[in-house]
Every structure is written in structure tokens, then in C-alpha cells.
Amino acid sequence: MASNLEFISSIKNTTTNVSTVSFDNIFSDKYDVYYLTVTSFETNTNAEELAFRLIDSSGSALTGSNYTSPSYTLQTGGSFSEVRDVNQDKWRYGGYQPASGSTGFGLSMYIYSPFDSSTYTFAELQSVQSANQYIGRTNIYSYGVAESTRGIIFTNNGNFNMDILKASVYGIA
Amino acid sequence: MSYIPKDAVTQSFQSNKGVLTPNQIIELVNENKFTMYGQLELIQTQEITSAQTYIDFTNIKEDEYNVHFITWNNVHPQTDSKTLTLRLSDDGGTSYESANYEVAFININASASFNATGSSSNTFMYCSTSVGTGTGECANGYAYLYHLGDGGKESFNTFQNSDLQAAPTLQTFVGSQIYNQTSTINALRFGTSDGSSTWTGDFSVYGLRFA
């Protein structure tokens, strides 16, 4: 029983054609560091990227232009590509899924100090998917307002909806 | 007999009721119904002190865990400048797949330009490259493995390592890898792809409960 990775909650959405999935009330003053894993992500009818917003202390999505996301796309062929999102309204490029026939998805994300109202929220992400040559993302994220957040909303880069999303979150004690 | 008999209430993780005897607690623990925190569950550790060519894990509980976490720590080849690889098996370790891997990672290092590596037809997954035998040189890293036990999905890997490689140069890889065949993976192998070195070091496999 030496492990201090403590399960908090999991979520599984199977409602088709949704633009957001809310994973609320997962952050608290009990932990400073969280581990989030996404093991299923399938889009509705079009290829799309997974994106994230934070939920404020009253349960509302934070939609201001305060999200920064340097992202590196890992490819099996060709040059890797860089994206430097600054002051956007969400954390983007969490992982890509093709239009149909998903053969799996994996994402690991460490989130730092989301509940602490005195600091920004930071995160690191690595994801992997089977979608032609674009098989992975490695990103760092920041939310540039010092405020307390209590959850995450899964969304898209801005275009197409999702059908399936399954995620679990753990606190690191 | 409990004050409130165990079977009179429904026990589940994060929802235990009543007064339980030690034997009832043990029973609930075995059924994963007793609330104990520590959801990164060690499956097996191998501490290799007598160098061997391959380090195999043939009981990875792929039917229990959707996400595995593996680590390699203080790993030394017995032949200089060798690549530590990971291969998967779907026949319990009788054989390990030597094709159908896709890899993409960035090499960040202390002596030269960072470089990107990508391949859609690799014969293994990477752990570390050019691991040396000199003083202080060793390989360390971790990977998350997804869907190993799901026969309808490919097997996925995100990884990061930190090595003092053979130059010696401090390097890290950050990347994503896939075994692109849909199959049930039930064993893992660490070693060189061609068996050209033996290895010492600590290797561990964990399951992530509730993922």
C-alpha cells in the first residue's frame, strides 16, 4: 500500500454528437498535483482534436483568452510540427482522432495547482493515437489567471463533436 | 460476526459501511471493494544483478488493467553503446513481435541539435539509445502503455527517459509509439533487438486501477 496515487473519479460519455463533456468537482485542496488519463476518445463524423477548458469555483467553464499551449506533433514521417498557442480560449491539440474507425487512444496529463487561487494552473500532456503519420502530441499548458478551478471540460479544437470519451483522474499525495 | 453484517450492505470502493472483521476486510480487498488508496499497483519488479540478454514480463494482468506503467532504472548494458528496446508478445512470451511498430520521438540532449525520429515500420519500441558502459552511464525512463489487453485495439505507448549515453551525453526522449496490430498483448520484453548485449538494472510493471 505504498503508492500515493489516489483514485478520485472517472467519467465515461457515450452520448453521441456532443461538443463538451464536463468532469467537474475533481480538484480540491487535498492535492496539488493530479494525474489525468484519457483512454477513449472518438469523434462523431469528422476528424478532430481533443481540447480542454477549466471549470471555475462556481461551476462555470472558463472561456477567457488565458490559455497557452506550446504543442509538438510527433510524426512517423516528415518533420515534426510546432504550434504555439498563446492567449487562446482553451488548451488545444490534446490528441487527434480520425473521422471513423478509431483503433484506440491514450493520453497522460499531469496538472499542477488547479485548485490554488494564488497561482496559475500548469499541465504537461503526452498523447498517442493511430491516425496516419500523426501518432503523438507532447504539450505543456498554462492557464494565466491565478484563480481556483475545480474541474475540466473536454471539448474540441473548435469544429466537430465527439461521441465517446473515457477518463480517470488521480491525486498524487 | 460484524455489528452490521458485511453482506447486509453493498460494499464498494469508496463506499464501505459497517464494522468489519479483519477477514472480511481481506475478502473485500481481494475483491477490490475495500477503500484503500494507492491505485498504482505494482505487478512485478525485476532487479537484474546478473546480466541477462532479455528481461521478460509474462504475467502483466492485461485482463485487469487498461493502462500499464513501466519503469526502467539504473540500466546498464554489458556491451557499450546499445539500444534498450521494448517488444510486445501476444502468445504469453513464447515469441515477441519484431514488426509493425510505429515510433515518433524527439531527442533532447546536452551536446548537439535536438533531433526528431519517426518511423512507420520499426521492428521495436524504443526505451533508450546508445546506452554506455562508462562511469555513470545508464538508462532510466518510464512509459504508459494503453489497451494491451484489448484485442480490438492497437497497443499504444507514451514514454520519456533520461540517460547518460555512451559519448557520454545527457539525453532525453519524449515520444509516442504504437504496435499497429489489433491483438491482446500479454507479455513484455526489454533488451536489444538483436540480443547483442546483456543488461543489468531494475525493471518494473504497474497497473493503473480504475483507468
Side-chain angles (χ1 to χ4, degrees):
Chain A
M1 231 188 313
S3 169
N4 286 332
L5 187 70
E6 301 182 353
F7 174 73
I8 296 170
S9 185
S10 64
I11 189 169
K12 183 174 183 180
N13 173 76
T14 55
T15 302
T16 59
N17 200 22
V18 297
S19 60
T20 62
V21 174
S22 177
F23 202 12
D24 198 3
N25 292 309
I26 56 172
F27 302 140
S28 70
D29 61 358
K30 187 174 181 184
Y31 306 103
D32 290 325
V33 182
Y34 294 80
Y35 171 72
L36 173 77
T37 184
V38 177
T39 55
S40 286
F41 168 54
E42 296 186 25
T43 59
N44 182 243
T45 55
N46 296 83
E48 182 53 277
E49 289 271 358
L50 183 62
F52 313 87
R53 286 192 168 116
L54 296 168
I55 300 172
D56 71 13
S57 56
S58 59
S60 300
L62 288 164
T63 59
S65 299
N66 300 301
Y67 296 86
T68 296
S69 317
S71 172
Y72 207 32
T73 301
L74 310 176
Q75 305 173 195
T76 59
S79 300
F80 291 5
S81 58
E82 303 171 1
V83 173
R84 297 179 189 80
D85 266 8
V86 178
N87 296 334
Q88 298 292 317
D89 65 355
K90 62 186 77 170
W91 288 332
R92 302 197 299 167
Y93 300 104
Y96 178 85
Q97 276 292 277
S100 63
S102 172
T103 53
F105 181 85
L107 179 151
S108 286
M109 189 169 175
Y110 287 92
I111 306 167
Y112 303 92
S113 306
F115 194 79
D116 189 340
S117 61
S118 68
T119 182
Y120 293 178
T121 297
F122 297 88
E124 304 156 3
L125 175 147
Q126 280 188 272
S127 64
V128 56
Q129 64 274 334
S130 181
N132 50 56
Q133 73 267 33
Y134 307 110
I135 71 166
R137 297 266 190 271
T138 183
N139 304 343
I140 55 174
Y141 292 135
S142 71
Y143 177 71
V145 177
E147 66 178 290
S148 180
T149 65
R150 72 184 209 189
I152 277 187
I153 289 178
F154 298 98
T155 182
N156 54 55
N157 258 23
N159 295 306
F160 303 109
N161 291 344
M162 70 187 91
D163 286 346
I164 294 174
L165 185 124
K166 180 172 182 287
S168 298
V169 67
Y170 304 78
I172 299 175
Chain B
M1 178 66 72
S2 312
Y3 179 73
I4 298 176
K6 172 181 75 74
D7 293 333
V9 298
T10 300
Q11 303 283 352
S12 63
F13 180 75
Q14 293 183 323
S15 180
N16 297 126
K17 302 176 181 67
V19 178
L20 303 171
T21 66
N23 283 339
Q24 289 170 337
I25 291 173
I26 290 170
E27 187 179 328
L28 290 174
V29 167
N30 290 336
E31 295 172 355
N32 286 310
K33 292 179 180 177
F34 190 72
T35 303
M36 293 194 309
Y37 287 108
Q39 270 67 60
L40 188 66
E41 301 179 351
L42 177 66
I43 296 172
Q44 186 183 4
T45 288
Q46 297 191 49
E47 297 178 0
I48 310 298
T49 54
S50 295
Q52 58 192 62
T53 306
Y54 298 115
I55 297 89
D56 295 342
F57 290 84
T58 57
N59 180 15
I60 62 171
K61 299 186 178 182
E62 71 284 353
D63 53 338
E64 290 186 35
Y65 301 104
N66 196 28
V67 179
H68 288 76
F69 179 67
I70 62 174
T71 66
W72 56 99
N73 178 51
N74 195 27
V75 174
H76 300 263
Q78 304 307 294
T79 303
D80 198 32
S81 194
K82 289 296 179 181
T83 293
L84 180 66
T85 73
L86 177 70
R87 280 185 165 150
L88 312 182
S89 169
D90 61 8
D91 59 13
T94 300
S95 64
Y96 290 86
E97 303 301 324
S98 59
N100 299 310
Y101 297 98
E102 301 180 30
V103 302
F105 61 89
I106 181 76
N107 177 327
I108 300 169
N109 68 82
S111 74
S113 299
F114 300 171
N115 62 83
T117 297
S119 171
S120 59
S121 57
N122 222 50
T123 62
F124 53 83
M125 291 181 174
Y126 285 90
C127 297
S128 305
T129 68
S130 303
V131 191
T133 56
T135 301
E137 296 169 9
C138 69
N140 314 277
Y142 68 88
Y144 286 97
L145 307 175
Y146 307 88
H147 309 307
L148 296 183
D150 188 338
K153 289 188 165 67
E154 300 170 9
S155 298
F156 295 82
N157 163 325
T158 57
F159 79 110
Q160 185 164 6
N161 65 341
S162 59
D163 311 330
L164 187 61
Q165 55 84 280
T169 294
L170 181 64
Q171 67 178 10
T172 182
F173 299 159
V174 180
S176 304
Q177 307 183 95
I178 297 172
Y179 174 66
N180 64 19
Q181 304 296 297
T182 54
S183 59
T184 301
I185 299 301
N186 47 33
L188 306 173
R189 165 170 282 183
F190 292 90
T192 55
S193 60
D194 58 4
S196 58
S197 180
T198 54
W199 300 83
T200 61
D202 301 334
F203 301 82
S204 297
V205 178
Y206 301 81
L208 190 62
R209 182 69 63 189
F210 303 117

